[in-house]
Amino acid sequence: MSALRWMRWATWALLAASSLLAAAAVALWVAQRPWFDFRRIEVGGDVRHISHAAVRAAIAGRLAGNYFTMRLDQARRAFEALPWVAEVSVRRIWPNRLRVTLIEHQALGEWSDGRLVSDAGVLFLANPAEAEADGPLVSFSGPAQYALQAVRHFHDFSAALNPLQIRIVNLRISDRASWSLSTTPRMQVELGRDDPPGRLQQRLATIAAAYPAVTARLGGPATRIDARYSNGFAAARNP
């Protein structure tokens, strides 16, 4: 490359760099104008337990920036700190609005450590009295790592017992992973370990199929069933 051509190339490169820097400076200046400060934060979603006061308290001092400069991940974390919040969607609306969509946990029951458990098997902190306003909570107890499995079993067990008009009110998992449940009408059911996987559903299906005959044999509903046997179950009825 000749010296003249090199000087022309260098001149064009300097001009291009200068233009880019100037454009960046203008863009930065525009982005910092008060026209793009958020004028309104719109909070929506199917929420029943999250108040406007709670939202304001959660975001006070935690949302920084304008349409161009706000970090949406930080804004999302601020809303995720609210009790009852399961999912958060945050997006900018041109030129100065922020739209937030909240999805609440659907409480299924209360875990033995005081947390609520959602119908998706997620443990979360919230006021149980607020959840009970939507209906009675199922009582769960056991190691917290079983929460998701407990909810899945609850739905499976309920499907097996609902035709008999039996409702589960308590589901327990021991430290040795042995499962038991209490129902209304009053009945205690020992199911044992889920080994191999699927054994619990098989045992409960056997109980459900035989329950009308068991009731007739006992002269009334069973109050205790022990299904921890390899070839059947034992049933008893307390006076």
Side-chain angles (χ1 to χ4, degrees):
M1 180 183 294
S2 67
L4 181 59
R5 291 181 63 186
W6 186 89
M7 290 183 64
R8 287 176 179 173
W9 181 87
T11 301
W12 279 109
L14 287 172
L15 287 173
S18 299
S19 298
L20 287 174
L21 288 173
V26 170
L28 180 60
W29 181 85
V30 171
Q32 293 175 337
R33 295 306 89 197
W35 316 317
F36 302 109
D37 291 341
F38 286 114
R39 297 285 191 269
R40 186 168 60 183
I41 299 177
E42 302 170 352
V43 180
D46 184 13
V47 295
R48 291 177 297 166
H49 301 97
I50 303 171
S51 67
H52 292 296
V55 171
R56 287 194 296 269
I59 65 176
R62 299 189 63 185
L63 299 185
N66 62 15
Y67 181 90
F68 292 105
T69 61
M70 175 176 283
R71 293 188 55 181
L72 295 186
D73 58 336
Q74 292 181 350
R76 186 165 47 250
R77 284 195 292 272
F79 287 98
E80 285 173 344
L82 283 163
W84 287 100
V85 170
E87 296 180 33
V88 181
S89 171
V90 182
R91 66 188 184 97
R92 305 176 181 92
I93 305 296
W94 178 265
N96 52 21
R97 288 185 295 152
L98 189 69
R99 181 169 296 168
V100 181
T101 303
L102 305 178
I103 298 177
E104 286 189 347
H105 290 292
Q106 300 298 313
L108 175 64
E110 185 175 6
W111 204 262
S112 50
D113 62 5
R115 288 181 290 178
L116 295 178
V117 57
S118 76
D119 60 358
V122 177
L123 295 171
F124 65 100
L125 287 171
N127 185 354
E130 295 178 5
E132 288 172 345
D134 299 326
L137 296 175
V138 180
S139 176
F140 292 89
S141 62
Q145 66 264 27
Y146 287 105
L148 177 58
Q149 192 175 357
V151 169
R152 289 174 176 171
H153 280 325
F154 171 81
H155 290 307
D156 291 339
F157 298 165
S158 294
L161 295 175
N162 282 342
L164 301 173
Q165 297 184 330
I166 296 174
R167 182 171 64 86
I168 299 171
V169 296
N170 183 283
L171 187 61
R172 299 174 299 280
I173 312 99
S174 74
D175 292 337
R176 299 186 63 185
S178 181
W179 295 72
S180 60
L181 56 89
S182 300
T183 72
T184 182
R186 182 174 62 90
M187 181 169 62
Q188 173 75 24
V189 182
E190 300 291 341
L191 293 171
R193 294 169 58 87
D194 194 24
D195 186 18
R199 176 63 61 83
L200 297 182
Q201 284 87 342
Q202 293 173 0
R203 287 174 173 169
L204 202 60
T206 299
I207 293 170
Y211 192 76
V214 170
T215 299
R217 189 73 171 271
L218 294 176
T223 56
R224 179 174 176 82
I225 291 179
D226 190 343
R228 295 172 295 181
Y229 299 94
S230 59
N231 58 351
F233 63 89
R237 181 172 184 263
N238 294 333

